[in-house]
Amino acid sequence: MTSKVRKTIIIISLVALLTVVLTYGIADAKVTGPCSNCHTMHNSQQGAHMQYLAPGEEDIGPKGALLRGTCLGCHTATDGSTWKSSITGAPIVFNTSEPVFNEAKGLAAGNFYWVQTEDTKGHNIFSQDSKLSVAPGDMGFSGCGTNNCHTNFHLAVSGTGNPALDGKQGCTKCHMVNTVGPKGFHHKDDGTGTKYVDTAEKGWYRFLEGHMSGSGHGVAGIEDDDWQYTYSSTDHNEYLGSQVSGGYGFGGLGNTMTAYCTGCHGVFHDNQGTASPWLRHPSDKILPTSGEYAAYTTYDPLVPVARPSSFDWEGGPSSMVSGTHGDMVMCLSCHRAHASPYFKMMRWDYRGWPGSGATNGCNVCHTSKN
Ligand code: HEC
Ligand code: HEC
Ligand code: HEC
Ligand code: HEC
Ligand code: HEC
Ligand code: HEC
């Protein structure tokens, strides 16, 4: 190679690198905009409180991290079509009128509107579930204090002696659980829909961090940049999975979504692979490479699969599904995380099928059953 050619190559590489660095820098998916959109220094302007509250939410005065809103305050909209706050850019997880956007009738996790209509349609963050006083499949933890995360969401935890847990209520019984107060997750750079978010530095997948034996762990995955407001086989979240024999929680299952759900619903995975026979639907089980399962080949965001650690995590979301690559059924293949229009937070109308218009999501994997 002549030195001229070498120089040109170096310059081209530098320009390419700079372009990557600059585009990346501009499009950070962490909060942006004037500080005052989200923070207030005294919680006072013209003598009045400066805050975002959800309808009916109690005015608790100044808030942690000098925020203008509670979690619910910033993440609520008072109509059925807003999916992102026009002021702060916050994704909406609770529409006070029936959400009309997209197939999920909410973003990827669903929408808390539905649990208000019927207890069984979601995690009850507003009031006591009329039938459940503990998470079904809970491992029977003791010593977790009063109103711990395994029993309900709407009441504050107390008596654990752990400052990170005492006071946790609603959203923070699931998000940011190991952290004292809100502490900077929103300012962490978690990419723009293609970055593998797998560490505390990146804020974990959707701020889902672990605690106790899961301390230092959280959920790993790729975060779709509009929270699946729009979605397709190439435009969606990716979730880490891990097929292991038995166990529950981050300690047992690694940084997977199923680990996360089984932190509170451990029985639903604990003896999978060790109990013979295992008599519950498997989660984090690789799709068989033959038979009906082999026909699920194009990713359907209505029925997501979890990916193994060998997945090309730096390559962004993939449109392919294949048992050969180790893709798995997991908790969120069938459920939404917050609430859905359907019984038991299902992603489709399992109970209503084969009624008119109801989808059979089971059939996306069990391609010969319909
Ligand atoms: C769009 C909303 C938004 C904007 C704009 C915003 N913040 Fe924040 N900030 C938050 C939220 C929400 C938290 C709570 C932290 C968490 O996620 O745990 C926070 C937390 C903080 C914290 C405490 C946690 C930490 O990282 O130490 C500081 C300090 C902070 N913000 C400073 C700022 C400053 C300075 C600006 C303007 C340059 C700003 N913020 C703009 C939403 C915002
Ligand atoms: C001042 C308004 C504000 C408050 C208060 C607030 N958020 Fe947010 N939240 C935002 C904004 C803006 C975003 C979008 C940031 C982004 O694009 O990553 C966001 C994003 C999120 C996300 C998605 C993260 C991601 O990676 O896409 C989660 C989860 C979340 N917030 C949870 C919470 C919880 C839990 C609380 C209470 C402890 C809270 N928020 C309080 C404004 C707020
Ligand atoms: C039972 C645990 C749980 C509770 C309670 C919970 N979340 Fe979530 N949240 C999750 C999970 C899991 C996801 C990721 C879902 C996915 O990617 O499919 C998520 C996703 C989100 C997102 C990203 C948008 C989306 O739909 O994916 C936001 C924002 C958010 N949560 C905010 C909140 C707020 C605000 C509250 C309280 C009003 C709350 N969450 C209560 C578990 C929970
Ligand atoms: C922090 C503990 C916790 C986590 C994490 C958690 N859950 Fe739950 N879950 C509960 C509790 C408590 C209940 C019972 C009260 C309720 O429904 O609100 C429940 C109820 C449920 C129900 C029945 C809803 C009803 O009202 O009949 C389903 C389905 C469910 N969870 C699925 C999941 C899935 C899927 C995940 C992972 C995305 C998950 N849970 C994560 C605590 C948790
Ligand atoms: C193949 C689809 C599918 C998968 C995968 C799945 N579930 Fe379910 N889940 C359902 C259905 C359907 C129901 C309704 C009751 C029934 O048919 O058993 C349900 C009910 C539940 C309930 C409510 C139980 C009650 O007593 O009310 C919880 C909690 C739950 N699932 C949690 C989980 C967790 C945690 C995982 C992952 C370990 C998971 N599910 C994986 C389909 C699934
Ligand atoms: C994301 C893919 C996926 C979805 C969606 C799914 N399953 Fe499965 N299902 C599997 C896998 C993988 C197995 C285990 C296959 C094996 O080990 O041979 C399985 C096994 C089963 C079994 C046999 C269990 C046994 O012990 O033999 C039944 C029954 C079943 N599923 C019913 C359902 C129903 C009903 C639904 C819808 C609520 C559903 N599945 C949704 C992937 C899925």
Side-chain angles (χ1 to χ4, degrees):
M1 216 185 294
T2 65
S3 78
K4 201 170 176 187
V5 171
R6 203 176 298 140
K7 230 183 243 163
T8 321
I9 291 179
I10 292 175
I11 290 172
I12 291 176
S13 324
L14 279 179
V15 169
L17 187 71
L18 205 66
T19 318
V20 170
V21 169
L22 284 180
T23 357
Y24 192 67
I26 293 162
D28 274 0
K30 49 189 181 190
V31 287
T32 50
C35 319
S36 62
N37 276 354
C38 300
H39 294 282
T40 169
M41 300 303 107
H42 308 286
N43 193 30
S44 186
Q45 198 169 83
Q46 326 289 26
H49 286 175
M50 223 178 140
Q51 61 192 351
Y52 310 121
L53 292 179
E57 204 182 1
E58 195 188 334
D59 180 353
I60 55 166
K63 288 164 260 307
L66 310 188
L67 285 166
R68 288 183 65 166
T70 55
C71 310
L72 197 57
C74 276
H75 288 280
T76 293
T78 52
D79 60 20
S81 54
T82 304
W83 60 277
K84 180 179 174 176
S85 159
S86 57
I87 303 167
T88 65
I92 300 304
V93 299
F94 175 45
N95 291 79
T96 57
S97 317
E98 181 170 337
V100 291
F101 50 89
N102 79 25
E103 193 183 10
K105 299 283 177 272
L107 297 173
N111 195 286
F112 287 111
Y113 169 82
W114 302 106
V115 75
Q116 285 204 309
T117 65
E118 167 62 57
D119 273 2
T120 59
K121 292 182 174 174
H123 281 120
N124 289 255
I125 55 162
F126 302 107
S127 57
Q128 180 63 48
D129 188 298
S130 58
K131 297 199 178 67
L132 299 170
S133 55
V134 65
D138 180 55
M139 298 295 287
F141 297 103
S142 56
C144 293
T146 308
N147 292 316
N148 68 66
C149 313
H150 307 270
T151 54
N152 64 55
F153 294 97
H154 67 298
L155 298 172
V157 184
S158 63
T160 69
N162 178 346
L165 291 180
D166 282 343
K168 289 275 144 90
Q169 186 175 13
C171 319
T172 54
K173 280 185 167 180
C174 277
H175 293 276
M176 315 170 174
V177 281
N178 209 31
T179 305
V180 183
K183 263 286 175 298
F185 282 88
H186 285 75
H187 285 280
K188 292 189 198 291
D189 175 14
D190 50 11
T192 55
T194 55
K195 181 170 174 171
Y196 188 32
V197 180
D198 60 340
T199 61
E201 288 66 46
K202 298 174 198 160
W204 295 115
Y205 180 82
R206 307 298 188 208
F207 313 158
L208 300 167
E209 71 168 349
H211 82 115
M212 304 299 276
S213 61
S215 287
H217 292 274
V219 178
I222 298 174
E223 304 175 330
D224 182 58
D225 57 357
D226 66 4
W227 309 278
Q228 290 187 195
Y229 171 66
T230 61
Y231 52 87
S232 70
S233 61
T234 51
D235 172 22
H236 55 81
N237 294 320
E238 289 284 6
Y239 311 87
L240 179 67
S242 170
Q243 179 177 285
V244 292
S245 283
Y248 65 92
F250 294 117
L253 309 181
N255 297 335
T256 62
M257 184 56 83
T258 291
Y260 174 77
C261 301
T262 56
C264 294
H265 302 288
V267 172
F268 293 178
H269 189 276
D270 196 31
N271 293 318
Q272 180 181 323
T274 53
S276 179
W278 168 250
L279 298 177
R280 296 180 201 266
H281 195 283
S283 293
D284 284 24
K285 171 125 199 188
I286 295 173
L287 305 182
T289 52
S290 60
E292 58 175 355
Y293 305 95
Y296 184 10
T297 52
T298 304
Y299 192 103
D300 180 348
L302 183 67
V303 185
V305 289
R307 311 286 199 175
S309 55
S310 58
F311 178 72
D312 176 16
W313 287 102
E314 302 310 323
S318 164
S319 64
M320 301 233 315
V321 172
S322 154
T324 312
H325 297 160
D327 295 342
M328 288 160 264
V329 59
M330 55 139 180
C331 308
L332 292 187
S333 295
C334 300
H335 295 286
R336 297 268 174 208
H338 290 162
S340 85
Y342 312 116
F343 181 65
K344 298 294 168 186
M345 305 157 56
M346 288 294 285
R347 303 179 76 96
W348 61 87
D349 192 1
Y350 174 58
R351 237 192 182 180
W353 187 81
S356 73
T359 312
N360 177 3
C362 310
N363 168 256
V364 171
C365 292
H366 297 283
T367 54
S368 68
K369 312 283 189 300
N370 53 21

